[in-house]
PDB file of all heavy atoms in Angstrom:
ATOM      1  N   GLY O  34    -156.749 198.137 -26.108  1.00 94.00           N
ATOM      2  CA  GLY O  34    -155.903 197.928 -24.931  1.00 94.00           C
ATOM      3  C   GLY O  34    -154.428 198.007 -25.278  1.00 94.00           C
ATOM      4  O   GLY O  34    -153.630 198.621 -24.564  1.00 94.00           O
ATOM      5  N   PHE O  35    -154.071 197.391 -26.428  1.00 95.00           N
ATOM      6  CA  PHE O  35    -152.664 197.365 -26.834  1.00 95.00           C
ATOM      7  C   PHE O  35    -152.160 198.779 -27.146  1.00 95.00           C
ATOM      8  O   PHE O  35    -151.092 199.189 -26.690  1.00 95.00           O
ATOM      9  CB  PHE O  35    -152.503 196.448 -28.050  1.00 95.00           C
ATOM     10  CG  PHE O  35    -151.095 196.347 -28.533  1.00 95.00           C
ATOM     11  CD1 PHE O  35    -150.141 195.658 -27.808  1.00 95.00           C
ATOM     12  CD2 PHE O  35    -150.714 196.945 -29.731  1.00 95.00           C
ATOM     13  CE1 PHE O  35    -148.834 195.567 -28.250  1.00 95.00           C
ATOM     14  CE2 PHE O  35    -149.412 196.857 -30.184  1.00 95.00           C
ATOM     15  CZ  PHE O  35    -148.475 196.169 -29.438  1.00 95.00           C
ATOM     16  N   LEU O  37    -153.364 201.671 -26.118  1.00 96.00           N
ATOM     17  CA  LEU O  37    -153.264 202.441 -24.869  1.00 96.00           C
ATOM     18  C   LEU O  37    -152.013 202.048 -24.094  1.00 96.00           C
ATOM     19  O   LEU O  37    -151.298 202.903 -23.565  1.00 96.00           O
ATOM     20  CB  LEU O  37    -154.515 202.208 -24.007  1.00 96.00           C
ATOM     21  CG  LEU O  37    -155.799 202.926 -24.434  1.00 96.00           C
ATOM     22  CD1 LEU O  37    -156.957 202.516 -23.537  1.00 96.00           C
ATOM     23  CD2 LEU O  37    -155.612 204.441 -24.372  1.00 96.00           C
ATOM     24  N   SER O  38    -151.722 200.733 -24.037  1.00 96.00           N
ATOM     25  CA  SER O  38    -150.548 200.273 -23.296  1.00 96.00           C
ATOM     26  C   SER O  38    -149.259 200.812 -23.900  1.00 96.00           C
ATOM     27  O   SER O  38    -148.350 201.215 -23.168  1.00 96.00           O
ATOM     28  CB  SER O  38    -150.483 198.749 -23.290  1.00 96.00           C
ATOM     29  OG  SER O  38    -151.619 198.231 -22.702  1.00 96.00           O
ATOM     30  N   VAL O  39    -149.205 200.788 -25.239  1.00 96.00           N
ATOM     31  CA  VAL O  39    -147.989 201.282 -25.906  1.00 96.00           C
ATOM     32  C   VAL O  39    -147.777 202.754 -25.544  1.00 96.00           C
ATOM     33  O   VAL O  39    -146.667 203.169 -25.186  1.00 96.00           O
ATOM     34  CB  VAL O  39    -148.090 201.099 -27.439  1.00 96.00           C
ATOM     35  CG1 VAL O  39    -146.986 201.854 -28.145  1.00 96.00           C
ATOM     36  CG2 VAL O  39    -148.013 199.621 -27.788  1.00 96.00           C
ATOM     37  N   LEU O  41    -148.970 204.363 -22.921  1.00 96.00           N
ATOM     38  CA  LEU O  41    -148.705 204.514 -21.487  1.00 96.00           C
ATOM     39  C   LEU O  41    -147.337 203.949 -21.096  1.00 96.00           C
ATOM     40  O   LEU O  41    -146.819 204.237 -20.018  1.00 96.00           O
ATOM     41  CB  LEU O  41    -149.801 203.820 -20.676  1.00 96.00           C
ATOM     42  CG  LEU O  41    -151.151 204.536 -20.703  1.00 96.00           C
ATOM     43  CD1 LEU O  41    -152.248 203.635 -20.159  1.00 96.00           C
ATOM     44  CD2 LEU O  41    -151.089 205.817 -19.889  1.00 96.00           C
ATOM     45  N   THR O  42    -146.734 203.127 -21.970  1.00 96.00           N
ATOM     46  CA  THR O  42    -145.369 202.654 -21.722  1.00 96.00           C
ATOM     47  C   THR O  42    -144.363 203.648 -22.295  1.00 96.00           C
ATOM     48  O   THR O  42    -143.331 203.920 -21.680  1.00 96.00           O
ATOM     49  CB  THR O  42    -145.158 201.274 -22.376  1.00 96.00           C
ATOM     50  OG1 THR O  42    -146.152 200.383 -21.893  1.00 96.00           O
ATOM     51  CG2 THR O  42    -143.788 200.724 -22.037  1.00 96.00           C
ATOM     52  N   ALA O  68    -148.144 204.310 -14.542  1.00 96.00           N
ATOM     53  CA  ALA O  68    -148.126 202.862 -14.308  1.00 96.00           C
ATOM     54  C   ALA O  68    -149.464 202.412 -13.737  1.00 96.00           C
ATOM     55  O   ALA O  68    -150.014 201.384 -14.159  1.00 96.00           O
ATOM     56  CB  ALA O  68    -146.990 202.487 -13.355  1.00 96.00           C
ATOM     57  N   ALA O  69    -150.009 203.183 -12.791  1.00 95.00           N
ATOM     58  CA  ALA O  69    -151.305 202.828 -12.195  1.00 95.00           C
ATOM     59  C   ALA O  69    -152.393 202.804 -13.266  1.00 95.00           C
ATOM     60  O   ALA O  69    -153.205 201.878 -13.333  1.00 95.00           O
ATOM     61  CB  ALA O  69    -151.653 203.811 -11.085  1.00 95.00           C
ATOM     62  N   VAL O  70    -152.368 203.823 -14.154  1.00 96.00           N
ATOM     63  CA  VAL O  70    -153.357 203.880 -15.239  1.00 96.00           C
ATOM     64  C   VAL O  70    -153.191 202.666 -16.156  1.00 96.00           C
ATOM     65  O   VAL O  70    -154.164 202.015 -16.549  1.00 96.00           O
ATOM     66  CB  VAL O  70    -153.218 205.194 -16.037  1.00 96.00           C
ATOM     67  CG1 VAL O  70    -154.143 205.194 -17.243  1.00 96.00           C
ATOM     68  CG2 VAL O  70    -153.513 206.388 -15.155  1.00 96.00           C
ATOM     69  N   GLN O  71    -151.933 202.337 -16.469  1.00 96.00           N
ATOM     70  CA  GLN O  71    -151.694 201.204 -17.371  1.00 96.00           C
ATOM     71  C   GLN O  71    -152.139 199.884 -16.761  1.00 96.00           C
ATOM     72  O   GLN O  71    -152.655 199.008 -17.461  1.00 96.00           O
ATOM     73  CB  GLN O  71    -150.202 201.134 -17.752  1.00 96.00           C
ATOM     74  CG  GLN O  71    -149.990 200.241 -18.968  1.00 96.00           C
ATOM     75  CD  GLN O  71    -148.535 200.106 -19.350  1.00 96.00           C
ATOM     76  OE1 GLN O  71    -147.673 200.842 -18.855  1.00 96.00           O
ATOM     77  NE2 GLN O  71    -148.252 199.170 -20.226  1.00 96.00           N
ATOM     78  N   ILE O  72    -151.974 199.748 -15.445  1.00 95.00           N
ATOM     79  CA  ILE O  72    -152.438 198.520 -14.784  1.00 95.00           C
ATOM     80  C   ILE O  72    -153.962 198.405 -14.920  1.00 95.00           C
ATOM     81  O   ILE O  72    -154.493 197.336 -15.230  1.00 95.00           O
ATOM     82  CB  ILE O  72    -151.991 198.505 -13.305  1.00 95.00           C
ATOM     83  CG1 ILE O  72    -150.482 198.227 -13.237  1.00 95.00           C
ATOM     84  CG2 ILE O  72    -152.751 197.447 -12.513  1.00 95.00           C
ATOM     85  CD1 ILE O  72    -149.879 198.348 -11.859  1.00 95.00           C
ATOM     86  N   VAL O  73    -154.661 199.534 -14.749  1.00 94.00           N
ATOM     87  CA  VAL O  73    -156.124 199.515 -14.903  1.00 94.00           C
ATOM     88  C   VAL O  73    -156.495 199.146 -16.349  1.00 94.00           C
ATOM     89  O   VAL O  73    -157.395 198.330 -16.586  1.00 94.00           O
ATOM     90  CB  VAL O  73    -156.723 200.881 -14.493  1.00 94.00           C
ATOM     91  CG1 VAL O  73    -158.210 200.923 -14.811  1.00 94.00           C
ATOM     92  CG2 VAL O  73    -156.496 201.136 -13.019  1.00 94.00           C
ATOM     93  N   VAL O  74    -155.766 199.721 -17.326  1.00 95.00           N
ATOM     94  CA  VAL O  74    -156.021 199.405 -18.734  1.00 95.00           C
ATOM     95  C   VAL O  74    -155.855 197.903 -18.986  1.00 95.00           C
ATOM     96  O   VAL O  74    -156.697 197.261 -19.618  1.00 95.00           O
ATOM     97  CB  VAL O  74    -155.074 200.221 -19.656  1.00 95.00           C
ATOM     98  CG1 VAL O  74    -155.061 199.659 -21.070  1.00 95.00           C
ATOM     99  CG2 VAL O  74    -155.487 201.682 -19.677  1.00 95.00           C
ATOM    100  N   HIS O  75    -154.770 197.312 -18.459  1.00 95.00           N
ATOM    101  CA  HIS O  75    -154.548 195.876 -18.647  1.00 95.00           C
ATOM    102  C   HIS O  75    -155.655 195.069 -17.989  1.00 95.00           C
ATOM    103  O   HIS O  75    -156.117 194.066 -18.529  1.00 95.00           O
ATOM    104  CB  HIS O  75    -153.198 195.479 -18.042  1.00 95.00           C
ATOM    105  CG  HIS O  75    -152.049 195.710 -18.965  1.00 95.00           C
ATOM    106  ND1 HIS O  75    -151.227 194.710 -19.400  1.00 95.00           N
ATOM    107  CD2 HIS O  75    -151.602 196.841 -19.534  1.00 95.00           C
ATOM    108  CE1 HIS O  75    -150.319 195.212 -20.216  1.00 95.00           C
ATOM    109  NE2 HIS O  75    -150.516 196.499 -20.314  1.00 95.00           N
ATOM    110  N   MET O  76    -156.084 195.499 -16.806  1.00 93.00           N
ATOM    111  CA  MET O  76    -157.146 194.782 -16.089  1.00 93.00           C
ATOM    112  C   MET O  76    -158.436 194.763 -16.915  1.00 93.00           C
ATOM    113  O   MET O  76    -159.128 193.758 -16.980  1.00 93.00           O
ATOM    114  CB  MET O  76    -157.430 195.480 -14.746  1.00 93.00           C
ATOM    115  CG  MET O  76    -156.376 195.214 -13.707  1.00 93.00           C
ATOM    116  SD  MET O  76    -156.531 193.546 -13.081  1.00 93.00           S
ATOM    117  CE  MET O  76    -155.072 193.440 -12.073  1.00 93.00           C
ATOM    118  N   ILE O  77    -158.748 195.898 -17.547  1.00 92.00           N
ATOM    119  CA  ILE O  77    -160.021 196.001 -18.266  1.00 92.00           C
ATOM    120  C   ILE O  77    -159.931 195.316 -19.630  1.00 92.00           C
ATOM    121  O   ILE O  77    -160.776 194.497 -19.986  1.00 92.00           O
ATOM    122  CB  ILE O  77    -160.425 197.483 -18.435  1.00 92.00           C
ATOM    123  CG1 ILE O  77    -160.758 198.074 -17.061  1.00 92.00           C
ATOM    124  CG2 ILE O  77    -161.622 197.611 -19.374  1.00 92.00           C
ATOM    125  CD1 ILE O  77    -160.948 199.575 -17.069  1.00 92.00           C
ATOM    126  N   TYR O  78    -158.870 195.627 -20.401  1.00 93.00           N
ATOM    127  CA  TYR O  78    -158.840 195.169 -21.792  1.00 93.00           C
ATOM    128  C   TYR O  78    -158.219 193.787 -21.979  1.00 93.00           C
ATOM    129  O   TYR O  78    -158.542 193.086 -22.928  1.00 93.00           O
ATOM    130  CB  TYR O  78    -158.107 196.187 -22.665  1.00 93.00           C
ATOM    131  CG  TYR O  78    -158.896 197.460 -22.842  1.00 93.00           C
ATOM    132  CD1 TYR O  78    -158.593 198.597 -22.093  1.00 93.00           C
ATOM    133  CD2 TYR O  78    -159.964 197.522 -23.721  1.00 93.00           C
ATOM    134  CE1 TYR O  78    -159.320 199.767 -22.236  1.00 93.00           C
ATOM    135  CE2 TYR O  78    -160.703 198.674 -23.869  1.00 93.00           C
ATOM    136  CZ  TYR O  78    -160.371 199.791 -23.133  1.00 93.00           C
ATOM    137  OH  TYR O  78    -161.110 200.936 -23.270  1.00 93.00           O
ATOM    138  N   PHE O  79    -157.285 193.387 -21.111  1.00 93.00           N
ATOM    139  CA  PHE O  79    -156.644 192.088 -21.287  1.00 93.00           C
ATOM    140  C   PHE O  79    -157.197 191.049 -20.322  1.00 93.00           C
ATOM    141  O   PHE O  79    -157.415 189.897 -20.684  1.00 93.00           O
ATOM    142  CB  PHE O  79    -155.124 192.209 -21.106  1.00 93.00           C
ATOM    143  CG  PHE O  79    -154.444 192.971 -22.211  1.00 93.00           C
ATOM    144  CD1 PHE O  79    -153.186 193.536 -22.004  1.00 93.00           C
ATOM    145  CD2 PHE O  79    -155.038 193.115 -23.453  1.00 93.00           C
ATOM    146  CE1 PHE O  79    -152.553 194.242 -23.023  1.00 93.00           C
ATOM    147  CE2 PHE O  79    -154.414 193.816 -24.466  1.00 93.00           C
ATOM    148  CZ  PHE O  79    -153.170 194.377 -24.252  1.00 93.00           C
ATOM    149  N   LEU O  80    -157.425 191.457 -19.078  1.00 90.00           N
ATOM    150  CA  LEU O  80    -157.953 190.491 -18.088  1.00 90.00           C
ATOM    151  C   LEU O  80    -159.472 190.550 -18.005  1.00 90.00           C
ATOM    152  O   LEU O  80    -160.085 189.804 -17.243  1.00 90.00           O
ATOM    153  CB  LEU O  80    -157.317 190.748 -16.718  1.00 90.00           C
ATOM    154  CG  LEU O  80    -155.883 190.243 -16.577  1.00 90.00           C
ATOM    155  CD1 LEU O  80    -155.179 190.888 -15.410  1.00 90.00           C
ATOM    156  CD2 LEU O  80    -155.847 188.736 -16.386  1.00 90.00           C
ATOM    157  N   HIS O  81    -160.094 191.446 -18.771  1.00 89.00           N
ATOM    158  CA  HIS O  81    -161.558 191.562 -18.855  1.00 89.00           C
ATOM    159  C   HIS O  81    -162.215 191.662 -17.492  1.00 89.00           C
ATOM    160  O   HIS O  81    -163.190 190.982 -17.194  1.00 89.00           O
ATOM    161  CB  HIS O  81    -162.161 190.373 -19.626  1.00 89.00           C
ATOM    162  CG  HIS O  81    -161.386 190.023 -20.841  1.00 89.00           C
ATOM    163  ND1 HIS O  81    -161.138 190.925 -21.857  1.00 89.00           N
ATOM    164  CD2 HIS O  81    -160.766 188.883 -21.215  1.00 89.00           C
ATOM    165  CE1 HIS O  81    -160.416 190.342 -22.790  1.00 89.00           C
ATOM    166  NE2 HIS O  81    -160.169 189.110 -22.424  1.00 89.00           N
ATOM    167  N   MET O  82    -161.648 192.483 -16.666  1.00 86.00           N
ATOM    168  CA  MET O  82    -162.186 192.650 -15.311  1.00 86.00           C
ATOM    169  C   MET O  82    -163.406 193.559 -15.351  1.00 86.00           C
ATOM    170  O   MET O  82    -163.385 194.611 -15.970  1.00 86.00           O
ATOM    171  CB  MET O  82    -161.116 193.358 -14.488  1.00 86.00           C
ATOM    172  CG  MET O  82    -160.595 192.685 -13.267  1.00 86.00           C
ATOM    173  SD  MET O  82    -161.326 191.188 -12.820  1.00 86.00           S
ATOM    174  CE  MET O  82    -161.805 191.637 -11.205  1.00 86.00           C
TER     175      MET O  82
ATOM    176  N   LEU B  82    -142.777 191.782 -24.027  1.00 95.00           N
ATOM    177  CA  LEU B  82    -143.829 191.265 -23.159  1.00 95.00           C
ATOM    178  C   LEU B  82    -145.194 191.813 -23.557  1.00 95.00           C
ATOM    179  O   LEU B  82    -146.198 191.098 -23.532  1.00 95.00           O
ATOM    180  CB  LEU B  82    -143.496 191.622 -21.699  1.00 95.00           C
ATOM    181  CG  LEU B  82    -143.925 190.580 -20.675  1.00 95.00           C
ATOM    182  CD1 LEU B  82    -143.383 189.208 -21.019  1.00 95.00           C
ATOM    183  CD2 LEU B  82    -143.469 190.978 -19.286  1.00 95.00           C
ATOM    184  N   LEU B  83    -145.207 193.081 -23.945  1.00 96.00           N
ATOM    185  CA  LEU B  83    -146.470 193.700 -24.358  1.00 96.00           C
ATOM    186  C   LEU B  83    -146.987 193.036 -25.634  1.00 96.00           C
ATOM    187  O   LEU B  83    -148.180 192.729 -25.765  1.00 96.00           O
ATOM    188  CB  LEU B  83    -146.241 195.193 -24.573  1.00 96.00           C
ATOM    189  CG  LEU B  83    -147.459 196.095 -24.520  1.00 96.00           C
ATOM    190  CD1 LEU B  83    -148.216 195.901 -23.223  1.00 96.00           C
ATOM    191  CD2 LEU B  83    -147.035 197.545 -24.629  1.00 96.00           C
ATOM    192  N   SER B  86    -148.489 189.767 -24.966  1.00 95.00           N
ATOM    193  CA  SER B  86    -149.831 189.879 -24.392  1.00 95.00           C
ATOM    194  C   SER B  86    -150.887 189.960 -25.484  1.00 95.00           C
ATOM    195  O   SER B  86    -151.914 189.275 -25.427  1.00 95.00           O
ATOM    196  CB  SER B  86    -149.924 191.121 -23.502  1.00 95.00           C
ATOM    197  OG  SER B  86    -150.022 190.751 -22.164  1.00 95.00           O
ATOM    198  N   TRP B 190    -150.725 184.873 -17.995  1.00 97.00           N
ATOM    199  CA  TRP B 190    -149.819 185.604 -18.881  1.00 97.00           C
ATOM    200  C   TRP B 190    -150.046 187.115 -18.767  1.00 97.00           C
ATOM    201  O   TRP B 190    -149.097 187.895 -18.659  1.00 97.00           O
ATOM    202  CB  TRP B 190    -150.007 185.116 -20.320  1.00 97.00           C
ATOM    203  CG  TRP B 190    -148.847 185.444 -21.183  1.00 97.00           C
ATOM    204  CD1 TRP B 190    -148.754 186.501 -22.032  1.00 97.00           C
ATOM    205  CD2 TRP B 190    -147.599 184.749 -21.253  1.00 97.00           C
ATOM    206  NE1 TRP B 190    -147.523 186.500 -22.633  1.00 97.00           N
ATOM    207  CE2 TRP B 190    -146.796 185.444 -22.173  1.00 97.00           C
ATOM    208  CE3 TRP B 190    -147.091 183.605 -20.625  1.00 97.00           C
ATOM    209  CZ2 TRP B 190    -145.502 185.031 -22.491  1.00 97.00           C
ATOM    210  CZ3 TRP B 190    -145.803 183.197 -20.944  1.00 97.00           C
ATOM    211  CH2 TRP B 190    -145.035 183.907 -21.858  1.00 97.00           C
ATOM    212  N   HIS B 191    -151.323 187.524 -18.804  1.00 96.00           N
ATOM    213  CA  HIS B 191    -151.617 188.953 -18.698  1.00 96.00           C
ATOM    214  C   HIS B 191    -151.238 189.487 -17.315  1.00 96.00           C
ATOM    215  O   HIS B 191    -150.805 190.626 -17.176  1.00 96.00           O
ATOM    216  CB  HIS B 191    -153.089 189.222 -18.992  1.00 96.00           C
ATOM    217  CG  HIS B 191    -153.475 188.951 -20.407  1.00 96.00           C
ATOM    218  ND1 HIS B 191    -152.766 189.458 -21.479  1.00 96.00           N
ATOM    219  CD2 HIS B 191    -154.463 188.214 -20.948  1.00 96.00           C
ATOM    220  CE1 HIS B 191    -153.322 189.036 -22.602  1.00 96.00           C
ATOM    221  NE2 HIS B 191    -154.348 188.275 -22.304  1.00 96.00           N
ATOM    222  N   PHE B 192    -151.390 188.640 -16.303  1.00 96.00           N
ATOM    223  CA  PHE B 192    -151.008 189.039 -14.948  1.00 96.00           C
ATOM    224  C   PHE B 192    -149.507 189.325 -14.874  1.00 96.00           C
ATOM    225  O   PHE B 192    -149.074 190.303 -14.251  1.00 96.00           O
ATOM    226  CB  PHE B 192    -151.398 187.922 -13.967  1.00 96.00           C
ATOM    227  CG  PHE B 192    -150.809 188.072 -12.594  1.00 96.00           C
ATOM    228  CD1 PHE B 192    -151.325 188.995 -11.700  1.00 96.00           C
ATOM    229  CD2 PHE B 192    -149.745 187.287 -12.195  1.00 96.00           C
ATOM    230  CE1 PHE B 192    -150.787 189.137 -10.440  1.00 96.00           C
ATOM    231  CE2 PHE B 192    -149.194 187.427 -10.936  1.00 96.00           C
ATOM    232  CZ  PHE B 192    -149.711 188.351 -10.054  1.00 96.00           C
ATOM    233  N   LEU B 193    -148.706 188.499 -15.545  1.00 96.00           N
ATOM    234  CA  LEU B 193    -147.258 188.717 -15.541  1.00 96.00           C
ATOM    235  C   LEU B 193    -146.908 190.033 -16.222  1.00 96.00           C
ATOM    236  O   LEU B 193    -145.960 190.718 -15.825  1.00 96.00           O
ATOM    237  CB  LEU B 193    -146.539 187.562 -16.244  1.00 96.00           C
ATOM    238  CG  LEU B 193    -146.554 186.247 -15.483  1.00 96.00           C
ATOM    239  CD1 LEU B 193    -145.764 185.204 -16.229  1.00 96.00           C
ATOM    240  CD2 LEU B 193    -145.989 186.436 -14.092  1.00 96.00           C
ATOM    241  N   ASP B 194    -147.686 190.374 -17.245  1.00 96.00           N
ATOM    242  CA  ASP B 194    -147.456 191.657 -17.909  1.00 96.00           C
ATOM    243  C   ASP B 194    -147.783 192.808 -16.958  1.00 96.00           C
ATOM    244  O   ASP B 194    -147.071 193.821 -16.924  1.00 96.00           O
ATOM    245  CB  ASP B 194    -148.319 191.736 -19.172  1.00 96.00           C
ATOM    246  CG  ASP B 194    -147.745 192.686 -20.201  1.00 96.00           C
ATOM    247  OD1 ASP B 194    -146.637 193.194 -19.978  1.00 96.00           O
ATOM    248  OD2 ASP B 194    -148.409 192.930 -21.225  1.00 96.00           O
ATOM    249  N   VAL B 195    -148.839 192.645 -16.168  1.00 96.00           N
ATOM    250  CA  VAL B 195    -149.205 193.668 -15.182  1.00 96.00           C
ATOM    251  C   VAL B 195    -148.082 193.842 -14.157  1.00 96.00           C
ATOM    252  O   VAL B 195    -147.701 194.962 -13.812  1.00 96.00           O
ATOM    253  CB  VAL B 195    -150.540 193.313 -14.485  1.00 96.00           C
ATOM    254  CG1 VAL B 195    -150.798 194.224 -13.307  1.00 96.00           C
ATOM    255  CG2 VAL B 195    -151.693 193.393 -15.468  1.00 96.00           C
ATOM    256  N   VAL B 196    -147.517 192.707 -13.694  1.00 97.00           N
ATOM    257  CA  VAL B 196    -146.420 192.799 -12.728  1.00 97.00           C
ATOM    258  C   VAL B 196    -145.223 193.509 -13.365  1.00 97.00           C
ATOM    259  O   VAL B 196    -144.549 194.315 -12.728  1.00 97.00           O
ATOM    260  CB  VAL B 196    -146.014 191.397 -12.216  1.00 97.00           C
ATOM    261  CG1 VAL B 196    -144.778 191.470 -11.333  1.00 97.00           C
ATOM    262  CG2 VAL B 196    -147.158 190.768 -11.442  1.00 97.00           C
ATOM    263  N   ILE B 198    -145.252 195.866 -15.510  1.00 96.00           N
ATOM    264  CA  ILE B 198    -145.465 197.319 -15.493  1.00 96.00           C
ATOM    265  C   ILE B 198    -144.870 197.887 -14.200  1.00 96.00           C
ATOM    266  O   ILE B 198    -144.148 198.884 -14.207  1.00 96.00           O
ATOM    267  CB  ILE B 198    -146.967 197.666 -15.562  1.00 96.00           C
ATOM    268  CG1 ILE B 198    -147.586 197.162 -16.860  1.00 96.00           C
ATOM    269  CG2 ILE B 198    -147.196 199.172 -15.436  1.00 96.00           C
ATOM    270  CD1 ILE B 198    -149.101 197.249 -16.867  1.00 96.00           C
ATOM    271  N   PHE B 201    -140.835 197.610 -14.437  1.00 96.00           N
ATOM    272  CA  PHE B 201    -140.075 198.580 -15.240  1.00 96.00           C
ATOM    273  C   PHE B 201    -140.236 199.992 -14.707  1.00 96.00           C
ATOM    274  O   PHE B 201    -139.315 200.806 -14.801  1.00 96.00           O
ATOM    275  CB  PHE B 201    -140.378 198.448 -16.741  1.00 96.00           C
ATOM    276  CG  PHE B 201    -141.633 199.109 -17.267  1.00 96.00           C
ATOM    277  CD1 PHE B 201    -141.729 200.489 -17.346  1.00 96.00           C
ATOM    278  CD2 PHE B 201    -142.697 198.349 -17.701  1.00 96.00           C
ATOM    279  CE1 PHE B 201    -142.873 201.092 -17.851  1.00 96.00           C
ATOM    280  CE2 PHE B 201    -143.843 198.937 -18.210  1.00 96.00           C
ATOM    281  CZ  PHE B 201    -143.935 200.320 -18.269  1.00 96.00           C
TER     282      PHE B 201
END
Side-chain angles (χ1 to χ4, degrees):
Chain O
F35 180 71
L37 284 176
S38 301
V39 168
L41 288 167
T42 304
V70 174
Q71 196 182 348
I72 287 173
V73 173
V74 165
H75 276 241
M76 284 286 173
I77 293 170
Y78 290 101
F79 291 159
L80 283 162
H81 317 302
M82 239 356 236
Chain B
L82 214 53
L83 201 54
S86 250
W190 200 262
H191 293 310
F192 168 76
L193 290 183
D194 205 6
V195 170
V196 174
I198 298 169
F201 81 70

